[in-house]
Amino acid sequence: MRLSYLIPALALLSSPALADSPFSFGGSVGYEFPVSGKIIDETSSASVNLTTLNASLAGTGILRLRGTDFKDSSDAPLKATIEVRYALTQTSEMFGAITYSQADGKSANIGCVEIVVSGAPNCSTPLTATFSDFKQMGVELGYRQWLESPFMSDRLFPYYTLRAGVTQTDALSATVVASTSLVPNAPIGTWNLYDDKVTYVIGGDVGATYLIAPFAEIGAEVGVRYNSKLSEVDTNLTALGLGTANDKSDRITIPVSVRLNAAF
């Protein structure tokens, strides 16, 4: 919201130049924590000749995947946002935003190779995947409403935000190894899980800003986002009987950030 349009008391503190235009700018940086959605779902393969996966392995087995959440496949993404804001009233605004998120991929236990030992199934051969980095870029439109409450003063202003947009997520893959007592970290392939894809995102935030100068505010906010499904790549998975392993990629995330609003 245009700083000088907030409330009459704030207008008295603001530079007269700020009233010339309803436009202002904002930016935020923080982390976005996944709380649902699986980069690899729980499933099992058909019986596989393990030698075809790695010549160091022998016999046949079933790849049993335990299900791996997005929070296990990468660090919490660091997310930066830049906004262009347009004041509608003294206590509301519309905005357009550009977002960028990035996180380093991690290694995680994704399941095991089940083999039959003395007539009984044994799943003591772990499967470990090293995931590619997570990167997103998006655009959003939103509405922000400041709240009249006992917490509002001439400097502290609580608000809520509604937003929707589109986001491109870069392709995601996993390099998978199996470890036996004789052959540790035997590579069994790189699985291409998702292709580059533009998806939609909707969500909202609650937060508060604090006036630090007639032309600037700092603030903090927390929100919730729904991110639609990514573009599945089944080529590597279908051959193993794992074609459903990447069917549950829609996610709910919790972004937490600090922000700076300024008028020029």
Side-chain angles (χ1 to χ4, degrees), residues 33-137:
F33 300 94
V35 295
S36 77
K38 294 186 179 296
I39 190 167
I40 296 178
D41 194 18
E42 180 179 358
T43 189
S44 298
S45 75
S47 181
V48 178
N49 183 340
L50 300 178
T51 305
T52 63
L53 302 180
N54 188 299
S56 299
L57 302 175
T60 60
I62 295 173
L63 308 183
R64 293 206 180 276
L65 306 184
R66 64 175 180 81
T68 304
D69 298 337
F70 277 89
K71 64 182 177 62
D72 297 320
S73 67
S74 72
D75 298 329
L78 179 66
K79 184 172 185 176
T81 302
I82 297 175
E83 292 180 357
V84 177
R85 308 156 64 214
Y86 182 86
L88 300 173
T89 69
Q90 290 183 347
T91 57
S92 65
E93 69 181 18
M94 299 290 293
F95 62 87
I98 297 174
T99 66
Y100 179 76
S101 303
Q102 181 172 352
D104 292 337
K106 297 195 299 188
S107 294
N109 182 294
I110 63 169
C112 62
V113 180
E114 181 181 285
I115 59 177
V116 176
V117 178
S118 301
N122 181 290
C123 213
S124 61
T125 301
L127 289 172
T128 302
T130 300
F131 293 92
S132 57
D133 294 346
F134 182 86
K135 296 179 182 179
Q136 286 185 322
M137 179 171 284

Side-chain angles (χ1 to χ4, degrees), residues 2-3 6 44 102 125-126 136 156 163 167 185 187 191 240 252:
R2 193 60 167 163
L3 299 182
L6 211 69
S44 298
Q102 181 172 352
T125 301
Q136 286 185 322
L156 182 66
R163 62 179 73 225
T167 302
N185 298 321
W191 298 351
L240 298 172
I252 294 176

